[in-house]
Amino acid sequence: MKFPKDFLFGAASAAYQVEGAWDEDGKGVSNWDVFSKIPGKTFEGTNGDVAVDHYHRYKEDVRLMAEMGLESYRFSVSWPRIMPNGDGKVNKKGLDFYNNLINECLKYGIVPFVTLYHWDMPQVLEEKGGWTNKATIDAFVKYAETCFKAFGDRVKHWITFNETIVFCKSGYMSAAHPPAIENDQKKYFQATHNVFVAHAKSVEVYKKLKQYGEIGITHVFNPVFSIDNNEENVDAAEHANNFELYWYYDPILKGEYPEYVSNILKERNVLPDMTQDELDVLKRNADNNDFIGLNYYQPMRVAKNHDINSNEKQSPTGAAGGVYFDGYFKSVVMKDKKYTKWGWEISPEAFVDGTKMLKERYGDIKLYVTENGLGDIDLIIEDEILDVPRAKFIEEHLRAVKKAISEGVNLKGYYAWSVIDLLSWLNGYKKQYGFIYVDHNNNLARKKKYSYYWYKNVIETRGEEL
Ligand code: BGP
């Protein structure tokens, strides 16, 4: 089977991870500019000051994408580049950069798929409480509207937020992302609620502008499975799905929170403050979402946790294993499963099962895989980058996407993470994901990898040979 004609083969990046130019052309300081410079916070102190210099080399990068036959490029806009102070005055040079990038994509017929928030927030707003401050909601909506108006004549695919669970949990529970707060459940859940409201309000604004494009949100997709049929493990998996999945998908797609989680948060006294108006905005806009973006890397295998004093916490960098912060369940590394060098499970099968779970709970909402890929240390022999495991990983997952489509799941595109090697938030440049290699010892020169040619062929043949 070939992939359907309207299925987009893409690849992705995010502003902080590729652009660099952190203080050029009027860009404001972001929370990541500040956080990445706190000693000990990132791998070997790496930061995005230069990253892979996409800001200056976007023309070369887009040309390489075009030569690969890429149909769509998912990238993010840096909020502090557009609004240096978070709210208020717009930086014209910031708009220019994205206008140029978008036009460059369109020149080659590459569809721009734009994320508004891939974690870099204006530092000014972070200092005022970031996502725990309701004023951030309005600031974001203004920023979103500015982007719709500036780019919406050419951009027809919008993602509001990337992975709310990651930046909120890492920001307020594990202190692994800004604002580096630890174990504050009240703030964690408050931040998630405020993000959902900002999303819904932005969707509403977008629909009122009648630009006739589509808008949605990208979530981590980590479907949870019990390790066996034991009742208490099955119950633990359901608890995990409620907290890790339904809490994120329900307010977007059903316009309300899963009662199971709300009740527990009430008992713990950490239910977010929410007004009736905010709840109404969520409800009103549930049907306005055109799609959900899924960032799929791995599922979670879960068992009931019996050791409430266990200090084996879940890893902030995503490796399987460890106890959830409320002590109820633990993620389990299983002998019969495969894992990457960073301990992430490799399971294309779980993707298929997971999308069926989604279909059952949320119906036929359109889906895109907005990220999927293999973080690896690529093999280099005589200057050739032989990232065969990456091609194999993507092949297995594209086959899973095919299978899900043939079983009736409404999937319309696949974006490999990442188009080019880039800065991993917490793993520096060591963990590679790209089709294009960046030589850090040679002035950031670009080079096509094995997977580049492989993906080019997949796109040309529309996946028929997979
Ligand atoms: C996702 C993020 C990406 C990217 C990817 C790989 O959570 O949306 O920005 O970083 O994960 O993560 P890592 O670099 O930690 O391997």
Side-chain angles (χ1 to χ4, degrees):
M1 167 198 138
K2 283 188 181 181
F3 279 87
K5 285 203 181 75
D6 60 347
F7 184 91
L8 288 169
F9 285 103
S13 77
Y16 187 72
Q17 298 179 277
V18 293
E19 284 179 6
W22 76 284
D23 62 350
E24 274 179 57
D25 293 339
K27 176 180 166 290
V29 175
S30 79
N31 55 350
W32 271 90
D33 292 326
V34 174
F35 174 81
S36 61
K37 284 159 198 155
I38 303 171
K41 282 298 182 191
T42 62
F43 177 75
E44 292 176 349
T46 37
N47 63 53
D49 285 5
V50 178
V52 296
D53 199 29
H54 190 55
Y55 189 78
H56 297 111
R57 302 181 198 219
Y58 70 93
K59 283 194 181 169
E60 179 187 358
D61 293 341
V62 174
R63 183 175 51 72
L64 286 165
M65 293 177 212
E67 274 174 38
M68 185 168 44
L70 202 72
E71 296 179 329
S72 180
Y73 175 34
R74 174 184 174 226
F75 59 88
S76 80
V77 173
S78 160
W79 183 355
R81 217 182 265 298
I82 302 291
M83 289 183 162
N85 293 316
D87 205 349
K89 221 174 148 256
V90 173
N91 175 30
K92 160 109 178 24
K93 287 196 170 164
L95 294 181
D96 289 348
F97 170 68
Y98 294 106
N99 270 321
N100 292 339
L101 177 59
I102 290 161
N103 293 343
E104 200 64 19
C105 288
L106 293 176
K107 182 169 121 188
Y108 296 105
I110 296 173
V111 175
F113 212 117
V114 175
T115 308
L116 290 169
Y117 189 84
H118 203 128
W119 306 354
D120 47 345
M121 159 186 284
Q123 174 66 11
V124 190
L125 297 183
E126 188 70 279
E127 280 167 17
K128 290 184 190 150
W131 282 113
T132 60
N133 182 352
K134 301 230 177 201
T136 304
I137 301 174
D138 299 326
F140 179 83
V141 178
K142 265 193 234 161
Y143 155 66
E145 186 168 6
T146 304
C147 291
F148 299 148
K149 287 185 172 158
F151 314 129
D153 56 336
R154 287 149 296 144
V155 172
K156 297 296 170 192
H157 305 269
W158 295 96
I159 293 165
T160 53
F161 290 91
N162 181 71
E163 299 189 347
T164 308
I165 191 171
V166 173
F167 66 86
C168 291
K169 214 207 265 179
S170 307
Y172 297 101
M173 293 302 295
S174 66
H177 283 200
I181 290 171
E182 210 166 341
N183 280 329
D184 195 326
Q185 286 197 48
K186 175 77 189 180
K187 284 195 170 134
Y188 164 43
F189 288 106
Q190 186 67 54
T192 61
H193 170 71
N194 293 349
V195 169
F196 302 144
V197 174
H199 163 80
K201 285 190 168 178
S202 305
V203 167
E204 191 157 83
V205 165
Y206 184 68
K207 293 292 164 178
K208 280 204 184 117
L209 290 174
K210 293 203 185 305
Q211 294 189 337
Y212 303 105
E214 54 174 18
I215 188 162
I217 194 167
T218 275
H219 280 335
V220 168
F221 181 46
N222 62 337
V224 183
F225 302 94
S226 169
I227 53 160
D228 57 24
N229 291 328
N230 188 322
E231 212 175 294
E232 60 172 13
N233 293 335
V234 172
D235 165 72
E238 192 48 22
H239 182 91
N241 266 324
N242 264 284
F243 273 82
E244 300 277 285
L245 225 100
Y246 309 154
W247 179 261
Y248 291 87
Y249 288 68
D250 280 19
I252 307 296
L253 293 173
K254 295 177 177 235
E256 60 192 32
Y257 288 104
E259 248 178 61
Y260 178 86
V261 181
S262 303
N263 289 340
I264 294 177
L265 297 190
K266 234 178 266 164
E267 279 165 28
R268 290 185 199 158
N269 220 0
V270 294
L271 190 71
D273 303 326
M274 14 182 136
T275 65
Q276 192 53 48
D277 273 359
E278 290 166 355
L279 293 171
D280 291 346
V281 167
L282 293 180
K283 195 85 208 166
R284 233 181 15 246
N285 285 286
D287 286 340
N288 279 335
N289 288 283
D290 297 301
F291 66 86
I292 294 283
L294 308 177
N295 285 358
Y296 179 74
Y297 290 91
Q298 58 175 338
M300 185 156 53
R301 312 287 171 185
V302 152
K304 173 91 186 143
N305 173 46
H306 291 291
D307 176 8
I308 31 167
N309 296 319
S310 166
N311 49 19
E312 195 209 339
K313 285 190 191 152
Q314 288 190 296
S315 149
T317 53
V323 176
Y324 190 61
F325 62 74
D326 68 0
Y328 199 90
F329 66 87
K330 58 182 175 188
S331 147
V332 179
V333 178
M334 295 178 79
K335 284 214 174 66
D336 63 336
K337 309 286 179 213
K338 286 188 294 179
Y339 295 86
T340 71
K341 291 192 178 87
W342 275 265
W344 295 18
E345 188 189 332
I346 302 178
S347 178
E349 304 77 32
F351 174 80
V352 182
D353 295 341
T355 51
K356 285 195 228 156
M357 262 168 56
L358 284 186
K359 192 173 153 91
E360 213 167 278
R361 193 173 175 94
Y362 304 109
D364 274 325
I365 179 82
K366 186 199 283 191
L367 303 172
Y368 291 96
V369 175
T370 40
E371 281 181 34
N372 173 247
L374 177 68
D376 206 355
I377 300 170
D378 294 340
L379 176 71
I380 304 181
I381 300 177
E382 293 182 0
D383 284 343
E384 295 300 320
I385 300 104
L386 302 173
D387 59 338
V388 179
R390 174 161 306 109
K392 195 162 176 280
F393 179 99
I394 295 177
E395 173 161 27
E396 286 174 352
H397 284 82
L398 277 173
R399 255 193 252 136
V401 170
K402 234 188 210 184
K403 182 151 192 262
I405 294 175
S406 71
E407 291 178 16
V409 177
N410 188 12
L411 261 159
K412 290 295 179 194
Y414 175 91
Y415 291 75
W417 184 267
S418 50
V419 67
I420 188 167
D421 282 350
L422 41 68
L423 174 72
S424 164
W425 303 93
L426 302 176
N427 303 286
Y429 297 99
K430 197 171 167 196
K431 192 178 189 187
Q432 296 163 276
Y433 279 96
F435 295 119
I436 300 166
Y437 175 77
V438 175
D439 191 345
H440 287 265
N441 296 316
N442 178 24
N443 189 32
L444 304 178
R446 276 50 175 160
K447 194 168 167 118
K448 297 168 183 175
K449 300 186 189 180
Y450 166 86
S451 62
Y452 177 100
Y453 299 100
W454 174 83
Y455 197 46
K456 180 177 164 69
N457 181 59
V458 170
I459 300 171
E460 252 164 38
T461 53
R462 299 212 62 73
E464 196 174 17
E465 296 163 9
L466 293 172

